[in-house]
């Protein structure tokens, strides 16, 4: 029995999604996504930081030719960064995607080119990424069999002929729960996480992080509760006393609003300054 798997970075994603996603804190964010009938799509987003007042944004267009499997993506940010990406999928071999990404920043005369490949089958997912300027080669792979997930990642610098970084992960996943252990940053950082779907409305997760240069561990637990088919609430707390909560509502098909708040509960005797945020997503 094979287990469909995602990339190496997807190992433990179910737990991370509970603890990280849908917390729009510290600013106002707007996302607009549209798709045309000929395979073109457009994305526009903007974010205003409540603390600094700085507004950043980007606009992205993507065209996909279904007959040839060729996709072209163009993005332009308010920082004057230009990103172009060409993808070719499932043409040379089933499950193989080739990708070339060009990054240009005219204001600082910075540029970069990345060549990426992805090979995916029901029980294996392998990616490679080559930075043509820094000469870094990143290779990661994940395999799944009968619920067991194993993955690894290596960063190799061809200019210096040495391995700069390596990471591994192992886990066990079912429909209702998942357990994962990561060993990152050359085995100097360890992360253990769990995810549990208690029922149709309630999900919970937790994460413990330990660095070998720190005596204490970092603990984070969170939960998600579906109020109804169109809305849910989330909350999390860390061992340092930071509490976060969020509310997400699908106002109508294609319109979603998310509100979040974060507060440091260790500062009750001082001036408490909670962080708020709102995100609005529009798509057709």
């Amino acid at each position: 029995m094979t287990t469909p798997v995602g990339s190496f970075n997807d190992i433990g994603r179910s737990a991370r999604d509970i603890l990280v996603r849908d917390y729009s804190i510290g600013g106002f964010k707007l996302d607009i996504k549209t798709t045309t009938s000929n395979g073109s799509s457009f994305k526009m987003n903007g974010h205003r930081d409540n603390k600094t007042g700085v507004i950043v944004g980007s606009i992205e267009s993507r065209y996909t030719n279904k007959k040839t499997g060729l996709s072209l993506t163009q993005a332009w940010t308010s920082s004057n960064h230009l990103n172009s990406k060409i993808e070719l999928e499932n043409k040379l071999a089933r499950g193989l995607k080739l990708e070339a990404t060009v990054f240009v920043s005219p204001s600082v005369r910075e540029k970069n080119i990345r060549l990426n490949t992805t090979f995916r089958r029901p029980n294996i997912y392998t990616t490679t990424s080559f930075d043509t300027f820094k000469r870094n080669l990143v290779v990661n792979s994940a395999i799944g069999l009968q619920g067991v997930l194993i993955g690894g990642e290596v960063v190799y610098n061809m200019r210096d002929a040495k391995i700069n970084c390596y990471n591994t992960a192992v886990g066990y996943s079912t429909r209702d729960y998942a357990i994962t252990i990561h060993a990152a940053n050359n085995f100097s950082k360890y992360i253990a996480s769990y995810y549990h779907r208690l029922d149709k409305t309630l999900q919970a997760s937790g994460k413990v992080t330990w660095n070998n240069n720190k005596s204490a561990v970092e603990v984070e637990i969170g939960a998600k509760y579906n109020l109804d088919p169109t809305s849910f609430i989330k909350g999390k707390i860390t061992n340092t006393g930071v509490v976060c909560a969020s509310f997400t509502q699908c106002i109508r098909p294609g319109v979603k609003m998310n509100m979040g708040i974060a507060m440091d509960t260790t500062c009750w005797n001082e001036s408490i300054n909670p962080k708020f945020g709102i995100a609005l997503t529009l798509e057709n």
Side-chain angles (χ1 to χ4, degrees):
M1 172 181 160
T2 59
T3 302
V5 296
S7 67
F8 170 76
N9 295 325
D10 288 330
I11 299 178
R13 180 176 292 275
S14 55
R16 291 197 302 272
D17 284 350
I18 298 293
L19 298 172
V20 177
R21 290 186 61 184
D22 306 307
Y23 289 101
S24 301
I25 297 170
F28 177 79
K29 185 177 181 181
L30 175 64
D31 287 313
I32 301 176
K33 306 174 185 178
T34 62
T35 304
T36 65
S37 58
N38 68 345
S40 299
S41 63
F42 300 89
K43 295 181 182 180
M44 293 161 282
N45 68 72
H47 179 267
R48 180 188 184 276
D49 187 277
N50 287 341
K51 184 176 181 179
T52 63
V54 175
I55 300 176
V56 295
S58 67
I59 181 170
E60 177 185 297
S61 63
R62 177 183 174 88
Y63 173 74
T64 301
N65 189 309
K66 296 182 179 180
K67 292 183 179 180
T68 62
L70 190 68
S71 298
L72 175 63
T73 304
Q74 297 276 351
W76 192 11
T77 72
S78 56
S79 302
N80 199 22
H81 293 165
L82 304 174
N83 299 283
S84 301
K85 182 166 61 176
I86 301 176
E87 301 168 85
L88 182 64
E89 189 170 6
N90 290 326
K91 286 303 176 182
L92 298 182
R94 185 181 177 188
L96 177 65
K97 181 173 74 171
L98 305 178
E99 177 184 304
T101 303
V102 180
F103 167 85
V104 179
S105 181
S107 57
V108 295
R109 296 182 180 180
E110 182 181 354
K111 57 185 178 180
N112 195 8
I113 299 176
R114 288 180 180 269
L115 305 177
N116 308 317
T117 65
T118 301
F119 180 72
R120 184 174 187 177
R121 300 297 293 161
N123 65 331
I124 186 170
Y125 197 118
T126 300
T127 66
T128 64
S129 178
F130 179 59
D131 188 321
T132 59
F133 283 72
K134 296 181 180 179
R135 313 294 289 180
N136 282 333
L137 176 65
V138 181
V139 181
N140 63 52
S141 185
I143 61 174
L145 182 64
Q146 296 182 346
V148 178
L149 301 171
I150 300 175
E153 181 178 57
V154 174
V155 181
Y156 179 77
N157 186 271
M158 301 182 68
R159 182 176 297 162
D160 300 331
K162 70 175 185 177
I163 296 176
N164 289 337
C165 182
Y166 49 87
N167 310 292
T168 63
V170 61
Y172 181 74
S173 178
T174 69
R175 180 183 179 276
D176 294 326
Y177 70 92
I179 302 173
T180 308
I181 298 177
H182 283 79
N185 297 340
N186 304 338
F187 294 165
S188 65
K189 180 179 181 180
Y190 297 88
I191 304 170
S193 64
Y194 84 93
Y195 164 82
H196 188 189
R197 182 190 297 272
L198 287 83
D199 53 42
K200 294 182 179 179
T201 60
L202 183 61
Q203 303 171 53
S205 71
K207 183 178 71 171
V208 178
T209 305
W210 177 77
N211 287 282
N212 59 10
N213 59 350
K214 296 181 180 180
S215 58
V217 299
E218 301 173 8
V219 182
E220 190 174 359
I221 58 174
K224 173 182 177 181
Y225 181 74
N226 294 324
L227 299 172
D228 55 51
T230 64
S231 64
F232 61 85
I233 57 175
K234 295 178 70 174
K236 66 177 181 179
I237 185 171
T238 70
N239 64 315
T240 58
V242 177
V243 177
C244 302
S246 73
F247 170 74
T248 302
Q249 173 71 57
C250 181
I251 300 174
R252 52 168 295 178
V255 181
K256 183 176 71 173
M257 182 183 66
N258 172 263
M259 297 181 292
I261 180 174
M263 185 165 51
D264 189 347
T265 60
T266 63
C267 301
W268 289 115
N269 296 327
E270 302 176 10
S271 176
I272 300 177
N273 186 19
K275 297 179 181 179
F276 299 92
I278 298 176
L280 183 64
T281 302
L282 310 174
E283 65 179 310
N284 69 338

